[in-house]
């Protein structure tokens, strides 16, 4: 099974980008294609192919794929075009069975151990989140975003609106699959961190599993990603995940270049590996005020942007897709 992720990214990569690359390297059966203007010297592994361009060049490239003017004014607007990558970048992905989009504010675990072979055979769409989604690479699936559904603005309206995209994006596309009856594989074991909490709190959990969120750390070990947590009797338990998503969370890197293929992930830093003990889990489970998150949100300029965002995305919020599930 040949799989590729497409990642346009403009601006400086996160400070832990070398760790992201390392986690890609340990998945040699997966390829990544990056379009970026960050020409910093990184040790790109063979399965990560980088194409240097500036944002204006990408604007011109994507505009050339349409015979009407589009709204692509800033790098964040690329999110509205993610669902069209299968067609926009068709020349880059001809040899692949699946293509996808992903973020780089995450660390990968082991694809082979986390997604079984039958999933690729039985599902045309794997996952339902913007930080990682795969699509079967065929003409019908690649064009599903262009379908006209009753009561839904067309994709043309979506990418030409001066208000900005408001439905058919990485989240809204799930509604299309659901409406036409194409099942989505939802049971991808990812660790999506809550943005408002200093401590690691995972989203998309059923209430009966919330105790796992109280005291937890993660360990990346030679390509595999594990969460260690305390159960209700305060015994140490371990779960494996496909990736951990930091959701733009600031992370400090307290690692040397040579970290022996194993490191510890705690709020909010990467550390040399330590033995996982009850005391260590209790230490990093202590609640703290998340100043780096809340202080910028007290500024008037942020509040104005937030109100504008909610207004322009009101339709998308009303129609969004979020399965009731536990990982």
């Amino acid at each position: 099974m040949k799989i590729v992720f497409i990642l346009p990214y403009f601006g400086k990569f996160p400070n832990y980008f070398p760790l992201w690359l390392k986690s890609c390297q340990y998945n040699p059966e997966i390829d990544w294609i990056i379009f970026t203007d960050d020409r910093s010297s990184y040790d790109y592994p063979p399965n990560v192919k980088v194409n240097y361009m500036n944002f204006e060049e990408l604007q011109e490239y994507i505009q050339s794929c349409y015979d009407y003017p589009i709204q692509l004014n800033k790098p964040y607007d690329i999110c509205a075009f993610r669902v069209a990558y299968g067609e926009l970048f068709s020349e880059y992905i001809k040899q692949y069975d699946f293509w996808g989009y992903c973020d780089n504010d995450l660390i990968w675990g082991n694809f082979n151990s986390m997604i079984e072979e039958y999933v690729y055979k039985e599902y045309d769409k794997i996952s339902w989140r913007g930080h990682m989604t795969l699509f079967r690479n065929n003409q019908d699936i690649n064009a599903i975003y262009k379908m006209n559904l009753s009561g839904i603005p067309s994709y043309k309206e979506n990418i030409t609106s001066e208000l900005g995209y408001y439905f058919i994006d990485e989240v809204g596309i799930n509604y299309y699959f659901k409406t036409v009856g194409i099942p989505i594989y939802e049971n991808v074991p990812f660790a999506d961190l809550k943005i408002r909490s200093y401590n690691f709190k995972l989203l998309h959990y059923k209430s009966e599993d919330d105790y796992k969120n109280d005291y937890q750390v993660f360990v990346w070990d030679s390509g595999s990603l594990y969460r260690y947590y305390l159960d209700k009797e305060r015994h140490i338990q371990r779960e494996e995940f496909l990736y951990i998503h930091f959701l733009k969370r600031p992370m400090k890197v307290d690692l040397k270049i040579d970290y022996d293929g194993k490191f510890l992930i705690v709020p909010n830093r990467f550390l040399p590996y330590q033995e996982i003990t009850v005391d260590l889990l209790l230490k990093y489970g202590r609640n703290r005020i998340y100043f780096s998150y809340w202080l910028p949100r007290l500024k008037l300029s942020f509040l104005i942007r937030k109100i504008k965002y909610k207004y322009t995305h009101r339709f998308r919020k009303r129609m969004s897709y979020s399965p009731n599930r536990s990982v």
Side-chain angles (χ1 to χ4, degrees), residues 219-233:
V219 172
W220 188 85
D221 186 357
S222 302
S224 295
L225 177 70
Y226 301 101
R227 171 171 74 158
Y228 290 83
Y229 66 93
L230 293 179
D231 63 20
K232 294 178 181 179
E233 287 73 37

Side-chain angles (χ1 to χ4, degrees), residues 159-215:
I159 61 174
T160 59
S161 170
E162 293 183 359
L163 293 176
Y165 72 90
Y166 51 94
F167 180 68
I168 313 172
D169 63 352
E170 58 204 26
V171 176
I173 191 63
N174 295 307
Y175 184 79
Y176 273 53
F177 276 78
K178 181 180 180 181
T179 300
V180 300
I182 299 177
I184 300 171
Y185 183 73
E186 300 168 358
N187 296 319
V188 178
F190 58 76
D192 193 14
L193 298 179
K194 186 175 181 180
I195 193 171
R196 297 179 179 87
S197 172
Y198 177 90
N199 294 61
F200 286 170
K201 304 289 186 182
L202 273 57
L203 298 169
H204 315 300
Y205 265 80
K206 294 182 179 179
S207 58
E208 58 264 31
D209 291 326
D210 279 346
Y211 70 92
K212 297 181 180 181
N213 268 332
D214 292 338
Y215 304 100

Side-chain angles (χ1 to χ4, degrees), residues 212-304:
K212 297 181 180 181
N213 268 332
D214 292 338
Y215 304 100
Q216 61 182 321
V217 298
F218 289 79
V219 172
W220 188 85
D221 186 357
S222 302
S224 295
L225 177 70
Y226 301 101
R227 171 171 74 158
Y228 290 83
Y229 66 93
L230 293 179
D231 63 20
K232 294 178 181 179
E233 287 73 37
R234 294 208 167 178
H235 297 145
I236 298 174
Q237 305 294 340
R238 188 180 84 165
E239 291 179 317
E240 187 174 1
F241 286 84
L242 178 59
Y243 62 90
I244 179 172
H245 179 223
F246 300 106
L247 198 58
K248 301 179 181 179
R249 174 184 294 257
M251 295 288 293
K252 295 182 179 180
V253 181
D254 295 332
L255 293 172
K256 296 180 180 179
I257 295 177
D258 182 9
Y259 48 83
D260 296 325
K262 193 173 185 178
F263 55 82
L264 183 65
I265 309 173
V266 304
N268 285 314
R269 63 186 63 227
F270 301 95
L271 297 172
Y273 176 74
Q274 305 172 42
E275 180 183 359
I276 306 300
T277 64
V278 173
D279 286 343
L280 183 141
L281 290 168
L282 292 174
K283 173 183 176 181
Y284 290 110
R286 290 199 302 266
N287 290 318
R288 300 183 185 182
I289 299 175
Y290 198 2
F291 289 106
S292 62
Y293 174 82
W294 289 110
L295 289 180
R297 284 158 175 78
L298 298 177
K299 296 181 179 179
L300 180 60
S301 58
F302 176 87
L303 295 176
I304 293 173

